[in-house]
Amino acid sequence: MKTIFFAPAIMLTLASLLSTAHAQTPPTGRAPQTPGGTRVNVPLPASDAVLTADLKRILTEAAPQALAGDAQRLAQLNADVDEFKSRTGVDAREFDTLAVGARLTRLASGAAKISSVVAVARGAFDAGALVSRTRAAAGGRLSEQIYGGKTLYVIAANDRIKLFGLLKTHVSDLAICVLDRYTLLVGEPSAVRAAVDAAAGRGGRVDPTLLNQAQTNGNLVAFAGNVPAGTFAGMDTGLPNVDHALANIRGFYGSINSTPAGIQLATTLRAANESDAKQLYQTADALRQVAPGLISMAGEKGKFAQGAINSLKITTRGSEVQLHLDVPQADISALLRAL
């Protein structure tokens, strides 16, 4: 059960947007757009994983729909957005899209770690007001650094924080940089500096193939990534054949979309060759079949997990394995009430 959703779980915590094109002159008060709502000239540095999110739609449509029956949790989401603003000066509601880039590394312990995270937020925001709020919010914990002609506002957070009110993570130092009138960089200081370099044509830039695979194209979230060789090798899951199957994953891409009926998650896992993909498929399908017996959660969580297993579809084509999951609105609401 845990392993079936391993890749989607990684994707949901990763980052980025789509391939760059020549910037266009935007209408007054709006960030530049390409057809389909995607943004141009997203300055992501070299990354192993990228994710695009329609931030405005998440906050104004998807989240209110998912939490329609739980006013308390909807209020908490708004409170989390407000808290991020009060701690950093950044108001998630001012932005249209969010693109994130990250590196995947293997620790000496054998665990896979997500690092070098940087978010690129696009929208028409008041840079002066944002900087003023950041200075006021951080107080004595703020340092200002000039890098590549841009100012980095570095907050010594050393705490858990919900980035843009959505993603809980622990940060030591959080850097904020106004790149231009439509673009804000937020993330680890070294990653933000790399993004400044990428915007100026210096240093490495994210693989255009990943950016193409991570185009939202009307979806709520899109993601893609390359898995460095050895990242998942030797992981001890405690389940037969799973360790080798995970080691065969070389990349992934997919999307998450909100519909009136619920949430759709589509994920494709890429193996090195057709033989490895077949083994990955067989392992995932076997886990799907035995998962009901492994589910130990009770109540609403157990019902949600059982429903997810029942609706999960796994197919294979060439060197790829596709996973498709439909989560009905009623199941989402039930799970949220149980958390």
Side-chain angles (χ1 to χ4, degrees), residues 46-330:
S47 303
D48 295 315
V50 296
L51 176 148
T52 302
D54 189 333
L55 186 59
K56 185 170 290 296
R57 187 176 162 204
I58 289 173
L59 294 177
T60 63
E61 176 188 324
Q65 177 179 308
L67 299 171
D70 195 331
Q72 183 176 353
R73 286 194 173 276
L74 183 57
Q76 183 59 56
L77 171 62
N78 289 320
D80 290 339
V81 173
D82 288 337
E83 181 181 6
F84 184 67
K85 177 181 177 181
S86 68
R87 296 185 67 178
T88 67
V90 178
D91 187 351
R93 301 182 186 91
E94 292 183 328
F95 299 94
D96 299 323
T97 63
L98 188 65
V100 188
R103 286 289 198 180
L104 294 176
T105 57
R106 177 78 180 271
L107 300 178
S109 64
K113 178 185 178 182
I114 299 169
S115 62
S116 301
V117 178
V118 59
V120 181
R122 302 299 304 275
F125 64 100
D126 186 329
L130 187 149
V131 169
S132 295
R133 293 196 304 262
T134 297
R135 286 172 171 155
R141 296 177 295 110
L142 182 73
S143 63
E144 298 186 19
Q145 307 170 7
I146 302 299
Y147 182 82
K150 302 295 180 180
T151 302
L152 271 65
Y153 302 91
V154 182
I155 302 173
N158 194 28
D159 194 7
R160 295 192 70 82
I161 191 169
K162 279 194 175 181
L163 294 177
F164 292 87
L166 300 174
L167 178 61
K168 183 181 291 186
T169 184
H170 184 277
V171 294
S172 296
D173 294 324
L174 185 70
I176 297 169
C177 175
V178 176
L179 190 64
D180 58 46
R181 61 184 294 195
Y182 299 109
T183 311
L184 184 73
L185 308 177
V186 180
E188 299 173 24
S190 61
V192 170
R193 288 192 290 269
V196 171
D197 285 338
R202 302 184 299 264
R205 194 149 185 166
V206 68
D207 183 350
T209 300
L210 290 185
L211 290 176
N212 284 329
Q213 290 178 328
Q215 291 185 30
T216 51
N217 291 329
N219 291 309
L220 195 65
V221 176
F223 47 80
N226 292 322
V227 179
T231 301
F232 299 150
M235 282 192 166
D236 184 11
T237 64
L239 296 173
N241 300 323
V242 171
D243 299 346
H244 185 62
L246 287 178
N248 287 338
I249 298 175
R250 293 291 178 268
F252 55 83
Y253 61 90
S255 62
I256 301 171
N257 194 26
S258 174
T259 71
I263 295 291
Q264 294 178 337
L265 170 63
T267 302
T268 295
L269 305 178
R270 177 169 48 82
N273 52 56
E274 189 170 342
S275 177
D276 286 348
K278 183 177 180 180
Q279 183 184 43
L280 180 59
Y281 163 78
Q282 291 173 339
T283 301
D285 191 51
L287 284 169
R288 181 182 62 81
Q289 294 181 49
V290 303
L294 301 177
I295 296 174
S296 59
M297 292 175 289
E300 296 290 358
K301 291 183 181 179
K303 292 179 182 178
F304 175 84
Q306 185 65 66
I309 291 298
N310 291 339
S311 66
L312 179 66
K313 296 179 178 63
I314 307 174
T315 57
T316 184
R317 182 181 61 187
S319 61
E320 296 183 339
V321 177
Q322 297 93 23
L323 299 88
H324 185 92
L325 179 65
D326 288 304
V327 183
Q329 178 63 43

